[in-house]
Every structure is written in C-alpha cells, then in structure tokens.
Amino acid sequence: MFKTFAKAFQSLSVALLMGLPLAASAQQMSEDASIVVEKPWARASLGTSRPGGAYLTVRNEGSESISLIGLRAEISGMASIHETRTNSDGVSSMAPADDIVIPPGGMIALEPGGYHAMLMQLQSPLVEGETFPLTLLFSDGTELEITVPVLGIGARGPEG
Amino acid sequence: MMSVAKIAAIGAAAVFAALFVGWWQVDGPGADPAPGKRPMPLTSMDFSLTDQDGQEVGPETLIGHPSLVFFGFTYCPDVCPTTLSDISGWLDELGPEAEDLRTVLITVDPDRDTVETMAEYVSYFHPQIQGWTGLPDQIAAVAEDFRATYEKVEGEDGSYTMNHTAGVFLFDATGRFVSIIDYHEPREFAVPKIRRAMQDRAEGAKS
C-alpha cells in the first residue's frame, strides 16, 4: 500500500519536474484571457552591473486596442521597454520606446534587434536556468505578472 | 584686346575647372569618406589595441587570415549579444572550415570595457571570438580606419549607452574589405558571404 503510494508520488514528482520548464515557457494570460503572453525569455547577465534584456510576445485577444505602457520587475531597479533602431548607415541606437499599441487580434513581439525589456540596476544577476517575475503594465490598467525563464548569455531565441 | 571667342573659352575653362574641383572634393578621389562608408584595407590601417589576453594586436594580427570584425560594447543588452550569438552560430555551422577565420569584437566603450571585462565577456560565446580594447584615442583611431562611428548617449540616471555601427566587416586574407554582414542578417546570407571571403584567400594563395 505504502509502496504504491510512494511510487505514485514519485511519478507525480517526475511529472511535475518535467512540466516545470514547460510551464515557464507556455502562454501566460490575463484573468479574462484577453492578453496572452508567449515565449518569454531573458539572457543570463554578467553579474549585476550591466543591464539585462528580456523578450516575449503579447497577443491582444480582446475587442479593444490596448497599449503596453511599461514594465515592473523586482529584480530590476529600473525596468522599461527599449527599442533598438539601425539607420541606413548601419548605426544602431537604443532608446526608451513609446507606448506600443496592440490592435484587437494583433500581436507585438519584443525580440532581438527591436523592442526589448531593458532591465537596469539589476538587484541580483539573471542566472541561466532560473526564472524571475516580470509585470507588464497595460493602458487599461491591467497588470500582468509573467514568469521569465533565463537562458544562456548566447541564447538566440526562446528555444535557446 | 582679347577676342570674344578667347574670353568665352577662358570662361568655359574656368567653369570646367570649378566643376572638376567640386567633383574632386565632393564625389571624387578627394572626397572625405563619410561615416558608414567602406573600411580601408587592413593593409592601410595603422591601429594598435590590446586583446583579451593582454597582448598587443593590430591589423597585422588579422592580415594573412580571413577576418570578421565588428564594434560593440559589453554593457549592450540587445544588439551586441545578438550579434555575438549570430556569429557563434555561423562559426558553428562553418565548423573546421572556419578555423582560420579571425573573429574580433572591438569595444567602443573603453572606459568600462577593460581587458579583463572583454576576456570574461567573449568567453561566453564561440571560443574563436576575440575581444579587443584600448585607450580612448586608440579606439577613436581604429573606428576611423574601419569608417565605423560611435557615440556616447547619456541616460536619465547617470548611466549611458553607446550608439555604434552594428554591421560585421568581412575581410579576405590579403586584408581586402569584402563585404558587410548587416546586423541580424539571416544565416543563409551571412554564411555564404563568409565562405566567399575565405575562398578569396584560396585564390589569392594560388596566384
């Protein structure tokens, strides 16, 4: 009897363990399911002196336009959305982004070379294999906390 | 007394001379190379920097090998790690074929990017990637040789970031500039460009 229970418990733990990385990368959504966040990931940081970068996609499943207006993260003393631009001379610059409008049914991507979550004043390093909470702030007052997995510093996308 | 024809001829000659001087200075060989233009051949460059191991390096470190050179800085959260990851991917794909390729990140932020910082930073990417730094005037000189530009941009809270040329410069083994791989250019375009630069070496060796 006890053995069976232990075995069941063991397989449950295995299932939970295996499910963990999946849970972190699967979609995360607002309570009414109108805002869906997918493929969050961040690069591991070198200590805390340099800003970290994180990426994700946001889908608007609602019937109204919403804007992503900012970020909040305990791990960062100053989190904001930045945009990288490369001009015709091939010079890249980076600046805080304006509010990003997502039309109903639309999607925006924070991805390398475009928008990114800029995590300045890191309170602790972003360590590969760990996760951290990041809150997305929207124009309708929605605050959506998501879990961001930290990938290697050489990661190229949500798959590593 | 000069004839009308003579005056006209002199006038025309003056106009042509002015046009020629204008062309020479603006578009012709006398033009100042604008930033963003192609880099000089490595053989015409004269810079001196320090690599991640503290060794002195310069154009002679690259000449004799095909090379990839790009500018960046380690406090860069987006473009630089992306470029380094892209390059690591290209090198992985090329494998032993690219063994001879010298791949170098030159910092545009010498105040923060010391030799030790560069050593740590490049260690996270493909082992073939080197990180070079120098004194501020050495960085200014090397950027000018490559016709690369960079600029410090102050942030709100005392922090700063750097705008900089983000493309990857590709040279063949003779030091001739071959092409630029644009920032975030897809691998299916980037890898053939590198192969071409490496072939130039093979052909150069034959002749």
Side-chain angles (χ1 to χ4, degrees), chain B residues 45-126:
Chain B
M45 293 191 190
D46 181 32
F47 64 84
S48 172
L49 296 170
T50 307
D51 75 5
Q52 67 287 334
D53 301 322
Q55 303 295 314
E56 196 180 311
V57 285
E60 68 284 353
T61 316
L62 304 174
I63 298 165
H65 306 263
S67 56
L68 288 177
V69 180
F70 58 106
F71 290 82
F73 63 112
T74 74
Y75 279 68
C76 163
D78 184 42
V79 169
C80 310
T82 302
T83 301
L84 282 156
S85 304
D86 284 348
I87 292 174
S88 300
W90 306 336
L91 293 174
D92 283 343
E93 180 165 335
L94 288 161
E97 210 186 322
E99 255 171 18
D100 199 31
L101 192 71
R102 296 272 158 104
T103 310
V104 182
L105 161 66
I106 298 175
T107 184
V108 293
D109 186 11
D111 292 342
R112 291 187 295 200
D113 289 340
T114 62
V115 170
E116 295 73 32
T117 306
M118 293 304 280
E120 189 196 357
Y121 193 67
V122 298
S123 74
Y124 291 98
F125 299 93
H126 194 284

Side-chain angles (χ1 to χ4, degrees), chain A residues 29-42:
Chain A
M29 57 184 81
S30 59
E31 258 172 48
D32 63 357
S34 65
I35 303 170
V36 180
V37 175
E38 289 167 309
K39 300 178 200 157
W41 64 283

Side-chain angles (χ1 to χ4, degrees), chain A residues 43 45-47 49-55 78 82-86 88-96 111-121 153-156, chain B residues 35-37 73-79 81-82 85-86 88-90 92 112-113 117 120-121 124-125 149 153 156-157 159 161-167 182-184 187:
Chain A
R43 276 196 199 90
S45 68
L46 297 178
S49 56
R50 292 176 186 74
Y55 306 95
M78 204 170 98
H82 275 224
E83 186 179 13
T84 299
R85 291 202 180 127
T86 306
S88 55
D89 285 335
V91 176
S92 274
S93 57
M94 197 176 64
E111 58 189 0
Y115 293 117
H116 54 276
M118 173 95 162
L119 308 171
M120 297 173 81
Q121 300 166 14
I153 194 169
R156 287 164 215 150
Chain B
K37 293 268 170 73
F73 63 112
T74 74
Y75 279 68
C76 163
D78 184 42
V79 169
T82 302
S85 304
D86 284 348
S88 300
W90 306 336
D92 283 343
R112 291 187 295 200
D113 289 340
T117 306
E120 189 196 357
Y121 193 67
Y124 291 98
F125 299 93
T149 62
V153 184
E156 305 131 47
D157 57 343
S159 69
T161 181
M162 306 292 300
N163 294 349
H164 62 91
T165 301
D182 286 327
Y183 171 63
H184 223 21
R187 183 186 299 213

Side-chain angles (χ1 to χ4, degrees), chain B residues 22 29 34-35 40 70 75 82 92 128 131 133 141 150 186 189 195-196 205:
Chain B
M40 305 205 297
F70 58 106
Y75 279 68
T82 302
D92 283 343
Q128 238 167 291
T133 186
Y150 63 99
F189 297 125
R195 284 217 169 93
R196 207 152 52 235

Side-chain angles (χ1 to χ4, degrees), chain A residues 58-69:
Chain A
V58 185
R59 269 192 294 131
N60 179 4
E61 300 280 301
S63 51
E64 307 279 335
S65 272
I66 45 157
S67 298
L68 179 57
I69 60 171

